[in-house]
Amino acid sequence: MTTQTVSDFLIKRINEWGLKRIYGYPGDGINGIIGAIDRANGSVEYVQVRHEEMAAFMACAHAKFTGEVGICLATSGPGAIHLLNGLYDAKMDHAGVVAIVGQQARAALGGDYQQEVDLMSLFKDVAHEYVHMASTPAQVRHLIDRAIRIANAERTVTCVIIPNDVQEMSAVEIPPRKHGTIHSGAGYAPPRVVPKDADLRRAAEVLNAGEKIAMLVGAGALQATDEVIETADILGAGVAKALLGKAVIPDDLPFCTGPIGLLGSKPSWDMMEQCDTLLVVGSSFPYSEFLPKEGQARGVQIDIDAKLVSVRYPMEVNLVGDSAETLRALMPLLERKHDRGWREQIEKGIADWWQVLEARAMNEAKPINPQRMFWELSPRLPDNCIIVADSGSAANWFARDLKVRRGMMASLSGNLATMGPGVPYAIAAKFAFPDRVVIATVGDGAMLMNGINELVTIANYWKEWSDPRLIVMVLANRDLNQVTWEQRVMAGDSKYECSQTVPSFEFARYAEMLGLTGIRVDKPEQIGPAWEQALSASRPVVLEAITDPEVPTLPPHITFEEAKKFTESMIKGEPRLGHMIKQTFMEAVEGLLPHKK
Ligand SMILES: Cc1ncc(C[n+]2csc(CCOP(=O)(O)OP(=O)(O)O)c2C)c(N)n1
Ligand SMILES: [Mg+2]
């Protein structure tokens, strides 16, 4: 090739940044770029998805699981619009994603042209840190350099819009050396960010003065496992984990109180109710009512992003810094708590809670108790596996019942809490780590929203993965269950069948039709063997579990107000009232009784 186009240069530059994969969907707004990817002979891998939103979810998951920037590509107009929800997911969970989108030819813009959408305005919110359109080839080098660097450094979404005529023009690799040109370079290395000594000392004073210390860790602490464990040990603290921080520390540590919030655990709730000091590391967990009451505890927060400190609880000391580095700098200033009473109390609560969870999981249900699907998976989780959950009741059981160990990764849509990322996240995890087992836990509503379509993508690509094991476990409860329970508990409304009941769909048979393995379980005794079969399969598996929608996804403690509304909803009439009351009662009793084997 003698003349390289703007698009050829774009792909070359992405390569120079060390990025090797693009999730996309074609259209005439990006023909130039697709052609360049083809000409690049595999230097960048193009993954074809079923819908642009899925490409954005995959780019997001790529960023979450690898720490690299994820890239998604869509055509002008409809393709660009489809990206949005996945991009918001990335933005809100602080995953670095670059969206590259096409646009109509420059000469047509402003002419009410076919597929002409004001993309600058469309992306101005989600990509406000950096969204620009190339109007001439000499711009492309710095647009892509800056989009990638800013996405990486700010852990956010950026967007480069390239009109289709610009894509086909001759590249200007080196802009002329004259007034009004930009000469950018590639590369980014994250800095070492540590707070000032005086602030570390102030934080240590607060933590040393406390007697009952609660820690809360989130996604920002994923690279600080050892430091979190060591700090908790010095402080005699318990550690609660926000959803996105599920993999920060192993769940079987005796002082890990597990999840917090509506999907949380009783030990996390008790710890936050009773602590006198709160140390938050890398989390902006949203619900303040699950944190100590204002004034109850003195607070210290560590976060790399100054915008996120002291937004959920008024902290006495805010340390802006990298979690691991900051904890390492802080630890020598901390005094080991000699009275371990607080820690022992927390550990006792945790041990009891695990028994409650086991009893809840083993409760009878019609036909399968969804918690048992997770409970039985837990001890069978392969080393280094990657687990994802969709938004829905699965997120509760993912958070509570799965015992994540060291080396595993786990994620979901934390802040946007959108339905739909389960299967695409799993696909991106497989592309990033083809040798690791990936397990997605997804509701039937989310599967029917988009999951069954992305199963086609799995069928299309699985033979390329060195270990083909990808398991999509579907909670087939014929219900939009998470919301059904929210409507009962939070609004006091009974189930509105018209909005909540999901049509039946044979997920396992559909998987078989696609050439995958389909397993269907509708008896509790089939659960263990089904997981064994799925985890030793030689191709991706859809494990369809016929689960009971009347198993409550109640928060760890229900407030009086919620309980009252819940009772009202039951009185107003529920389709399966008798069974539901029994199931809820069993759950409540399991939470109260001491469990003796
Ligand atoms: C895109 C989107 N639409 C709607 C919601 C609200 N919502 C949250 S969970 C849920 C129900 C999910 O149903 P399903 O996937 O079947 O899982 P289940 O709770 O039944 O296990 C809904 C409708 C959402 N979070 N995202
Ligand atoms: Mg459902």
Side-chain angles (χ1 to χ4, degrees), residues 351-373:
D352 288 349
W353 176 248
W354 281 117
Q355 290 193 310
V356 169
L357 286 178
E358 178 167 20
R360 285 186 179 184
M362 293 305 158
N363 268 341
E364 265 179 38
K366 282 187 183 171
I368 282 184
N369 184 331
Q371 293 160 106
R372 186 155 172 185
M373 293 305 297

Side-chain angles (χ1 to χ4, degrees), residues 16 141 524:
E16 280 169 30
R141 180 169 122 191

Side-chain angles (χ1 to χ4, degrees), residues 393 442-446 475-482 500 502 547 549:
S393 68
V442 188
D444 47 4
L475 295 180
N477 53 19
R478 303 275 323 269
D479 187 28
L480 300 175
N481 197 233
Q482 179 69 14
Q500 299 311 111
V502 170
T547 53

Side-chain angles (χ1 to χ4, degrees), residues 37-93:
I37 295 174
D38 186 12
R39 288 191 292 278
N41 285 326
S43 72
V44 170
E45 180 184 17
Y46 176 82
V47 178
Q48 185 213 62
V49 301
R50 310 267 69 72
H51 183 297
E52 291 85 352
E53 182 186 346
M54 304 301 112
F57 279 142
M58 290 179 205
C60 170
H62 180 87
K64 284 183 170 185
F65 292 133
T66 67
E68 285 178 3
V69 161
I71 304 180
C72 53
L73 172 66
T75 190
S76 54
I81 294 166
H82 268 183
L83 285 177
L84 280 178
N85 193 53
L87 293 181
Y88 274 101
D89 179 41
K91 181 186 191 61
M92 292 177 68
D93 281 354

Side-chain angles (χ1 to χ4, degrees), residues 304-565:
I304 192 93
D305 189 343
K307 293 194 290 294
L308 294 177
V309 295
S310 264
V311 284
R312 313 291 184 222
Y313 190 83
M315 297 290 172
E316 203 167 316
V317 184
N318 294 301
L319 297 177
V320 175
D322 170 81
S323 298
E325 295 273 0
T326 304
L327 287 174
R328 273 202 292 275
L330 186 60
M331 275 190 279
L333 309 175
L334 300 178
E335 293 155 10
R336 190 179 163 78
K337 304 277 178 224
H338 292 296
D339 181 350
R340 309 302 277 186
W342 166 247
R343 170 91 151 217
E344 282 157 17
Q345 179 191 329
I346 291 171
E347 293 190 358
K348 163 99 182 37
I350 294 168
D352 288 349
W353 176 248
W354 281 117
Q355 290 193 310
V356 169
L357 286 178
E358 178 167 20
R360 285 186 179 184
M362 293 305 158
N363 268 341
E364 265 179 38
K366 282 187 183 171
I368 282 184
N369 184 331
Q371 293 160 106
R372 186 155 172 185
M373 293 305 297
F374 291 78
W375 188 262
E376 297 225 16
L377 167 62
S378 222
R380 293 179 170 94
L381 286 171
D383 286 342
N384 300 320
C385 68
I386 303 173
I387 315 159
V388 300
D390 213 290
S391 300
S393 68
N396 295 263
W397 323 130
F398 158 93
R400 294 195 188 121
D401 293 87
L402 283 184
K403 286 192 181 178
V404 160
R405 304 190 304 271
R406 255 180 197 260
M408 297 178 180
M409 293 194 274
S411 200
L412 39 54
S413 172
N415 290 291
L416 185 61
T418 177
M419 285 170 74
V423 179
Y425 271 30
I427 292 172
K430 258 341 260 192
F431 273 104
F433 301 98
D435 56 338
R436 293 169 74 158
V437 176
V438 175
I439 303 165
T441 60
V442 188
D444 47 4
M447 285 305 289
L448 293 172
M449 188 175 262
N450 60 33
I452 55 172
N453 292 344
E454 279 327 305
L455 288 180
V456 179
T457 305
I458 295 175
N460 193 27
Y461 282 112
W462 70 268
K463 289 184 184 144
E464 294 179 13
W465 301 328
S466 53
D467 183 330
R469 288 174 298 171
L470 186 173
I471 303 166
V472 178
M473 194 269 281
V474 185
L475 295 180
N477 53 19
R478 303 275 323 269
D479 187 28
L480 300 175
N481 197 233
Q482 179 69 14
V483 171
T484 302
W485 279 104
E486 285 166 359
Q487 288 167 347
R488 284 170 178 152
V489 177
M490 292 157 105
D493 289 332
S494 52
K495 178 169 172 177
Y496 176 38
E497 297 265 358
C498 174
S499 90
Q500 299 311 111
T501 300
V502 170
S504 77
F505 187 88
E506 299 202 32
F507 296 97
R509 276 183 59 198
Y510 175 76
E512 291 278 336
M513 192 189 79
L514 294 176
L516 310 176
T517 296
I519 307 172
R520 184 180 184 274
V521 294
D522 59 5
K523 295 185 186 60
E525 61 274 17
Q526 295 170 330
I527 299 173
W531 277 123
E532 301 287 340
Q533 187 191 343
L535 287 164
S536 56
S538 54
R539 60 183 61 205
V541 173
V542 173
L543 171 50
E544 175 187 359
I546 310 301
T547 53
D548 188 345
E550 305 310 344
V551 173
T553 59
L554 301 178
H557 80 295
I558 312 183
T559 64
F560 177 69
E561 199 56 28
E562 283 166 338
K564 213 174 92 213
K565 283 188 180 148

Side-chain angles (χ1 to χ4, degrees), residues 356 360 363 552 554 558 581-593 595:
V356 169
R360 285 186 179 184
N363 268 341
L554 301 178
I558 312 183
I581 292 177
K582 187 170 155 235
Q583 205 63 46
T584 312
F585 181 71
M586 275 159 50
E587 291 282 321
V589 170
E590 298 302 352
L592 296 173
L593 291 179
H595 284 273

